[in-house]
């Protein structure tokens, strides 16, 4: 996958109705959710000295993070993801994993990763062995997403961000999560070679500017 452009804006719940009206007039709701909305659960990895967190907070130009993720409570499709950022551009690599593989990983059994035939699983295993990368916290939120064909644009609005504190029981739907206090609604706009002017105008909000906000960093304040 090629690198993509990404904008982030911190917005408020009061901004959502106007954005919805504009986006529904020109873009399509994500077909994977009801009206474009669905729950997202992620489990982020970090080193003992919090390298991923520190690099994000310090604005390091070249950085990466690993996470496990599933959508809408559907644990039949779990993704291992690596998100890389270079010179402000983003790339996401993805591999599917099973619930049994996730449970083994959380129990400290990495043997399946070397034999899986999935490059991303092999890479995560190597970094767990050499950098001591480990699961750190769960991040939950509700995502509302819209897609627009020209420019391969995806617009998301993430709200209700919750943290698992230090919990990593990613596959337990009843595991404790609490609201990440003061976390905003996060508007993200991603596109390939160009951003159509129609979308550019639709997402503009007075007084809102691009932001380096990180849901992972917001949730790590609690553990």
């Amino acid at each position: 996958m090629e690198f993509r452009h990404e904008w982030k804006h911190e917005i408020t719940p009061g901004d959502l109705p106007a954005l919805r009206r504009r986006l529904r007039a020109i873009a399509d709701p994500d077909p994977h959710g009801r009206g474009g909305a669905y729950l997202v659960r992620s489990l982020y990895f970090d080193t003992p000295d919090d390298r991923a967190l520190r690099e994000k907070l310090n604005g390091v130009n070249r950085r990466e993070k690993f996470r496990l993720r599933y959508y809408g409570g559907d644990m039949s499709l779990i993704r291992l993801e690596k998100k890389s950022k270079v010179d402000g551009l983003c790339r996401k690599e993805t591999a599917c994993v099973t619930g049994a593989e996730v449970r083994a990983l959380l129990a400290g059994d990495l043997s399946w990763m070397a034999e899986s035939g999935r490059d991303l699983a092999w890479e995560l295993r190597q970094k767990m062995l050499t950098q001591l990368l480990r699961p750190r916290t769960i991040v939950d939120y509700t995502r509302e997403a819209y897609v627009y064909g020209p420019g391969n644009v995806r617009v998301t609005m993430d709200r209700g961000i919750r943290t698992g504190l230090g919990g990593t029981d990613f596959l337990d739907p009843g595991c404790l999560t609490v609201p990440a206090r003061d976390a905003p609604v996060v508007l993200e706009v991603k596109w390939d070679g160009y951003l159509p002017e129609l979308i550019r105008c639709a997402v503009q909000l007075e007084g809102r500017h691009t932001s380096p906000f990180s849901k992972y960093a917001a949730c790590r304040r609690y553990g």
Side-chain angles (χ1 to χ4, degrees):
M1 177 183 289
E2 298 295 326
F3 280 89
R4 282 163 58 82
H5 300 268
E6 179 181 83
W7 278 350
K8 288 186 181 181
H9 296 75
E10 295 182 38
I11 63 175
T12 70
D15 294 321
L16 291 173
L19 281 170
R20 285 192 188 106
R21 286 195 300 270
R22 298 175 195 173
L23 290 168
R24 287 173 180 173
I26 59 175
D28 297 318
D30 188 315
H32 296 99
R34 180 175 297 178
Y38 46 85
L39 298 175
V40 180
R41 166 161 288 186
S42 302
L43 176 62
Y44 284 84
F45 291 73
D46 213 333
T47 62
D49 63 348
D50 293 328
R51 177 179 176 180
L53 177 61
R54 289 187 294 102
E55 289 183 345
K56 172 61 181 179
L57 295 176
N58 295 333
V60 173
N61 191 46
R62 290 174 175 262
R63 59 184 187 268
E64 66 183 29
K65 59 187 175 187
F66 284 85
R67 66 193 178 204
L68 291 165
R69 174 170 287 187
Y70 60 86
Y71 299 89
D74 181 6
M75 286 179 271
S76 68
L77 181 58
I78 305 171
R79 295 181 173 92
L80 168 62
E81 298 180 346
K82 173 187 173 183
K83 189 171 182 181
S84 305
K85 195 154 194 177
V86 178
D87 297 330
L89 298 176
C90 298
R91 181 174 67 184
K92 185 169 70 175
E93 302 167 64
T94 302
C96 291
V97 294
T98 68
E101 289 169 338
V102 172
R103 283 188 284 272
L105 186 157
L106 295 178
D109 178 6
L110 311 184
S111 59
W112 66 269
M113 303 170 81
E115 304 162 357
S116 70
R118 284 159 279 173
D119 291 345
L120 196 57
W122 184 90
E123 181 181 352
L124 176 59
R125 176 181 179 273
Q126 292 305 109
K127 291 180 177 177
M128 292 182 74
L129 293 174
T130 60
Q131 300 177 12
L132 302 183
L133 209 61
R134 292 293 184 272
R136 291 306 299 263
T137 194
I138 291 168
V139 177
D140 287 344
Y141 53 89
T142 298
R143 166 163 287 178
E144 186 173 344
Y146 297 86
V147 294
Y148 187 77
N152 190 24
V153 178
R154 183 174 176 81
V155 181
T156 58
M157 295 175 285
D158 298 337
R159 65 183 187 272
I161 300 169
R162 300 177 66 88
T163 172
L165 304 173
T168 59
D169 198 355
F170 176 68
L171 298 180
D172 178 6
C175 75
L176 175 67
T177 63
V178 299
R181 189 163 56 92
D182 300 326
V185 179
V186 183
L187 168 68
E188 297 185 12
V189 185
K190 299 183 179 74
W191 70 96
D192 287 346
Y194 71 100
L195 180 62
E197 188 65 21
L198 196 63
I199 295 292
R200 187 187 299 270
C201 292
V203 299
Q204 293 300 316
L205 294 167
E206 185 175 356
R208 308 288 185 252
H209 306 286
T210 56
S211 164
F213 183 85
S214 163
K215 292 184 281 289
Y216 171 61
C219 289
R220 280 299 311 279
R221 292 168 55 192
Y222 301 87

